[in-house]
Amino acid sequence: MKFLKEENLKIDKLTIQNPNFKYTWAKPDVAAYQNYLMTIDLVLKRVPIERLKKAIDLTKNLAWKYKNSSSLSNWLNIPANLGGRTRFLLFAPNDSEGRKVWACTETGGLWYNNDVFDNESSWQIVN
């Protein structure tokens, strides 16, 4: 744990405020360093790249094993009232009651909800 705490202190050097870049949390160098910290082996004190081939092979074998499995084709869609990476929200200008909302997601999906104030109302994707 001591090693990780010391490594975590290095983030401060990456997040020094730049007057031209106000939001330091969006910096890719900080994100990359955080990813490094999440994949580090605490005993080796480094990312164990020698395990990468084994991990890839295991993933391929699992994908092959479940490729034709009927358990994957029985996906049950359970609505969740939580957002992902939303880029844009807009209350529909033509909705006189002000309840319909449009949302554009990071991965390009366009969604709408006819009554955003009703907990039972779900989001619908636009084809």
Side-chain angles (χ1 to χ4, degrees):
M1 280 313 257
K2 181 182 176 190
F3 170 76
L4 236 143
K5 285 180 183 179
E6 290 170 1
E7 288 295 303
N8 222 3
L9 292 175
K10 293 178 183 176
I11 291 178
D12 289 338
K13 293 177 186 173
L14 298 174
T15 59
I16 294 172
Q17 288 283 337
N18 178 339
N20 299 324
F21 194 81
K22 185 177 178 183
Y23 302 105
T24 57
W25 49 266
K27 293 177 70 176
D29 54 344
V30 175
Y33 194 74
Q34 185 178 20
N35 188 49
Y36 159 74
L37 291 177
M38 289 189 302
T39 56
I40 198 167
D41 182 305
L42 294 176
V43 174
L44 299 174
K45 297 183 180 174
R46 64 179 174 80
V47 177
I49 59 170
E50 65 274 6
R51 296 182 199 157
L52 185 58
K53 181 174 178 358
K54 183 179 178 182
I56 290 171
D57 290 343
L58 177 64
T59 303
K60 284 180 181 177
N61 287 339
L62 285 172
W64 180 258
K65 179 180 176 182
Y66 292 108
K67 183 177 183 181
N68 297 319
S69 171
S70 63
S71 65
L72 291 180
S73 61
N74 294 328
W75 180 262
L76 178 62
N77 186 16
I78 302 171
N81 234 354
L82 59 108
R85 294 178 297 169
T86 303
R87 299 295 283 170
F88 188 80
L89 281 174
L90 171 73
F91 277 87
N94 296 334
D95 180 18
S96 60
E97 295 180 23
R99 301 181 85 71
K100 185 173 184 174
V101 173
W102 291 90
C104 179
T105 66
E106 182 73 25
T107 55
L110 181 62
W111 299 75
Y112 69 92
N113 187 314
N114 283 318
D115 190 351
V116 74
F117 300 105
D118 179 5
N119 287 336
E120 301 299 318
S121 179
S122 61
W123 290 89
Q124 305 296 319
I125 193 162
V126 176
N127 248 339

